[in-house]
């Protein structure tokens, strides 16, 4: 999809996570799978952050 983002826009509480959000957005990811509260607690991420459990549910690996 192109090169890595050089200077991601500041969006999150932890500026080190902004790069991850920019990379996921550039890659057109459906979601960011994480246990990081800074990502999971942010209400308007695009793509959204979900837990590993939620990812497993979405992919049908475990039942709700």
């Amino acid at each position: 999809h192109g090169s890595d983002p050089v200077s991601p826009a500041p969006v999150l509480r932890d500026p080190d996570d902004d790069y991850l959000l920019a990379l996921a957005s550039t890659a057109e990811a459906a979601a960011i799978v994480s246990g990081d509260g800074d990502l999971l607690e942010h209400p308007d991420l695009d793509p959204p952050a979900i837990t590993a459990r939620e990812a497993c549910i979405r992919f049908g690996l475990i039942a709700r």
Side-chain angles (χ1 to χ4, degrees):
H1 279 281
S3 60
D4 289 348
V6 177
S7 295
V11 175
L12 300 164
R13 273 188 304 225
D14 182 349
D16 290 337
D17 290 338
D18 288 325
Y19 177 81
L20 178 61
L21 179 60
L23 188 60
S25 181
T26 299
E28 299 178 6
I32 300 169
V33 179
S34 178
D36 186 325
D38 287 337
L39 294 168
L40 294 169
E41 294 169 8
H42 197 284
D44 299 316
L45 286 186
D46 184 28
I50 61 174
T51 64
R53 178 174 176 73
E54 180 62 29
C56 288
I57 291 169
R58 285 187 186 192
F59 286 109
L61 300 174
I62 60 174
R64 278 197 182 268

